[in-house]
Structures are given as structure tokens and as C-alpha cells.
Amino acid sequence: MMNKKIVGSIVAGIIAIILVSSIAGCVVKIKPGYTGVVYSISGGVDGETLGKGWHIVSPTKSVTQYSTSLEQSYLVAADKGDSESDESFDTPTSDGKTLNVDIEFSYKFDKDRIADTFELFKGQDGETIKNTFIKPKISAWTQEVTSKYPVTDVFGDKRQELNEELDRYLKEKFDSYGIMIDTVNFTRIETDSETEAAIQQKVNAQQEQELANIQAKTAKINAEKVNKSERLKIPLKKNTKDGRTERATALNKLFFLNQKIQMMQ
């Protein structure tokens, strides 16, 4: 009798363990800022998604989570954020030069299209999509943008314009995949030392030209002041021989002074 009770208790315990294990296997926790896509072994994706918190899911279904809040990511030379190795990359300019760049960007998966994204990437999770699709595409599409700009513009007054165009372009390209780019920025742009020296030489020449223009304008203004002053000194004597001679001499001086001003222009 005791043996039967012992056997019954053991069997009941085993059943209880199996039930608890089964229930535990059906419970899924969705992290804050994430959305889960439910996939059925028999029916595939039917559009069912799960928000943050605990959920009971059938044993015949699996759940893949995607970040639907902003994530920061990096393609940089230094160890930073999720960039554990050197992920900086080379990109061309319109005049055949090569730039080496670091980029920081933020992104998220569109919550309203997350089921479509799941099917498009054949069930890959968000981290895998980031490493095998988002980062490589940012590198490739950045090259399409920088190839429109000469190297002097990249290091000159078009730097901000370049960054804004890249931001617009990446938002447009990723949108069709249900991936939303929030911000993207160049945090470092470098080129070879020979090109850097040539750029600096051009900058120095422009500064020297600007200084020369300023000096020429200043000299012209000063000369015009002298011209005006000399005009005021022209004698207004009566129409006598001495008066005519003196006035003619003053006018000749003004003529040569005007000639000098025109040469400065």
C-alpha cells in the first residue's frame, strides 16, 4: 500500500514538473523598448506582435524581438559603443581622393511594419540585421553621397551640407526596409597627408588673397579721401591769368591722383 502511495506521489511530482516546465517554456518576456513578432511553426507570421511585459505563447510558436525605440550605433576606428573593432571605412570623393571616416548613427525598427521586416529578413533578429545589413549598407550608401563632392568641399564650407545630404539619403534608403534612421553624423574625416598639405596650401593662398583684397580696398578708400580733400583745396580765384594757371595745376594733380585710384581697382 505504501509502495503504491510512493509511486503515485512520484508520478504526480513528475507530471507537475512537466506542467511547470511547459508553462515556463510558453512564457515570454518582451523587454522595454522592444516589440515581439510571433511566428507560428504551422502558419508563419500572421501579423501578431507583442508589447513589453510577460506573455504566454503557444509551444508551437516562437517570438523574435526588435528594438522599436532608438538605438545608438557606431562605425568608428576606436572601441566605442557596439563597435568593438575598427569599423571605420574608406569612401571616395568626386575628384578621385579617398577619405577615411567615422560615423555615428541612431535607428529603430518601425513598430507598425515590424512583421513585414521579420519576413523580409527571414526571421533574423535585430542585432543580426544591424551587423549584417544596416552597417554594411551605411558604408555603401555613404560612398554614393561623398562621391558627389570634391575633397576641398568636404574639408571646406560644404561639410555641413554633406552631412545633411547623407542624413536625408540614408533615411530614404532604409525606410523601405522598415528601418528608421533618426540621426547620422560624420565624427571624423581624414585623408592622406599629401592631400591634407595641398588643401592647407590652398587655404593659405585664399587667406592671402583675401588680405590683399582688403588692403587694396583700404588703399582705394584712403586715396578717395585724399582726392576729395584736394578738390576742396582748388583755388576759386577770379578768371585771371594767375587764377587760371593755378587752377589748371590743381586739376592736373587731381587727374594723376584719379589715375592712381583706377590702377588700384
Side-chain angles (χ1 to χ4, degrees), residues 28-36 50-55 65 111:
V28 175
K29 181 184 179 182
I30 305 299
K31 298 178 289 186
Y34 282 72
T35 297
L50 304 175
K52 68 177 181 178
W54 296 93
H55 302 270
Q65 298 191 41
K111 185 177 181 179

Side-chain angles (χ1 to χ4, degrees), residues 145-199:
V145 174
T146 62
S147 63
K148 301 176 184 178
Y149 290 81
V151 69
T152 50
D153 283 355
V154 174
F155 288 95
D157 57 2
K158 296 293 182 69
R159 171 74 173 267
Q160 183 63 30
E161 178 184 315
L162 170 64
N163 208 125
E164 290 172 355
E165 182 174 349
L166 179 64
D167 185 80
R168 288 192 299 269
Y169 192 61
L170 293 184
K171 286 178 178 177
E172 176 186 335
K173 298 292 281 187
F174 278 110
D175 182 69
S176 60
Y177 297 93
I179 299 168
M180 304 173 71
I181 299 295
D182 183 63
T183 59
V184 58
N185 291 291
F186 289 104
T187 56
R188 181 185 62 85
I189 300 179
E190 293 181 357
T191 187
D192 61 90
S193 57
E194 182 179 347
T195 302
E196 286 182 352
I199 293 171

Side-chain angles (χ1 to χ4, degrees), residues 187-228:
T187 56
R188 181 185 62 85
I189 300 179
E190 293 181 357
T191 187
D192 61 90
S193 57
E194 182 179 347
T195 302
E196 286 182 352
I199 293 171
Q200 188 59 50
Q201 186 176 10
K202 182 177 180 179
V203 170
N204 293 341
Q206 289 174 338
Q207 291 176 338
E208 290 174 0
Q209 183 61 48
E210 289 173 0
L211 179 60
N213 290 339
I214 292 172
Q215 291 173 337
K217 288 179 181 179
T218 302
K220 179 183 176 183
I221 291 171
N222 291 335
E224 288 174 345
K225 289 180 179 179
V226 172
N227 185 15
K228 184 177 180 180

Side-chain angles (χ1 to χ4, degrees), residues 9-262:
S9 297
I10 294 173
V11 171
I14 293 173
I15 292 172
I17 291 171
I18 292 173
L19 288 173
V20 170
S21 298
S22 298
I23 294 173
C26 295
V27 175
V28 175
K29 181 184 179 182
I30 305 299
K31 298 178 289 186
Y34 282 72
T35 297
V37 177
V38 179
Y39 175 80
S40 172
I41 297 174
S42 58
V45 177
D46 60 5
E48 181 184 3
T49 59
L50 304 175
K52 68 177 181 178
W54 296 93
H55 302 270
I56 297 177
V57 180
S58 168
T60 61
K61 296 181 178 181
S62 62
V63 178
T64 302
Q65 298 191 41
Y66 296 90
S67 175
T68 47
S69 60
L70 287 179
E71 296 281 346
Q72 188 74 20
S73 190
Y74 306 85
L75 285 165
V76 297
D79 291 342
K80 184 176 182 181
D82 62 347
S83 182
E84 298 178 356
S85 59
D86 184 356
E87 291 188 294
S88 64
F89 58 93
D90 291 338
T91 186
T93 62
S94 63
D95 48 357
K97 301 298 182 180
T98 299
L99 308 172
N100 184 260
V101 301
D102 285 348
I103 281 182
E104 294 183 6
F105 64 97
S106 57
Y107 74 100
K108 65 180 179 179
F109 293 95
D110 188 348
K111 185 177 181 179
D112 296 331
R113 294 183 287 166
I114 198 64
D116 295 333
T117 300
F118 177 91
E119 291 194 291
L120 184 63
F121 290 97
K122 300 178 180 179
Q124 293 180 336
D125 61 33
E127 189 71 14
T128 302
I129 294 172
K130 179 189 70 176
N131 291 325
T132 62
F133 180 76
I134 297 177
K135 285 189 171 185
K137 284 300 184 183
I138 283 182
S139 175
W141 289 334
T142 296
Q143 293 175 35
E144 294 179 10
V145 174
T146 62
S147 63
K148 301 176 184 178
Y149 290 81
V151 69
T152 50
D153 283 355
V154 174
F155 288 95
D157 57 2
K158 296 293 182 69
R159 171 74 173 267
Q160 183 63 30
E161 178 184 315
L162 170 64
N163 208 125
E164 290 172 355
E165 182 174 349
L166 179 64
D167 185 80
R168 288 192 299 269
Y169 192 61
L170 293 184
K171 286 178 178 177
E172 176 186 335
K173 298 292 281 187
F174 278 110
D175 182 69
S176 60
Y177 297 93
I179 299 168
M180 304 173 71
I181 299 295
D182 183 63
T183 59
V184 58
N185 291 291
F186 289 104
T187 56
R188 181 185 62 85
I189 300 179
E190 293 181 357
T191 187
D192 61 90
S193 57
E194 182 179 347
T195 302
E196 286 182 352
I199 293 171
Q200 188 59 50
Q201 186 176 10
K202 182 177 180 179
V203 170
N204 293 341
Q206 289 174 338
Q207 291 176 338
E208 290 174 0
Q209 183 61 48
E210 289 173 0
L211 179 60
N213 290 339
I214 292 172
Q215 291 173 337
K217 288 179 181 179
T218 302
K220 179 183 176 183
I221 291 171
N222 291 335
E224 288 174 345
K225 289 180 179 179
V226 172
N227 185 15
K228 184 177 180 180
S229 176
E230 290 297 324
R231 284 180 181 276
L232 294 174
K233 293 179 181 179
I234 295 176
L236 297 176
K237 293 183 178 181
K238 293 181 179 180
N239 191 19
T240 62
K241 181 178 179 182
D242 291 341
R244 287 195 300 271
T245 302
E246 190 174 347
R247 185 174 180 82
T249 302
L251 290 173
N252 282 334
K253 288 182 178 179
L254 279 177
F255 172 78
F256 288 113
L257 185 59
N258 284 328
Q259 288 289 101
K260 185 177 180 180
I261 293 173
Q262 290 176 4

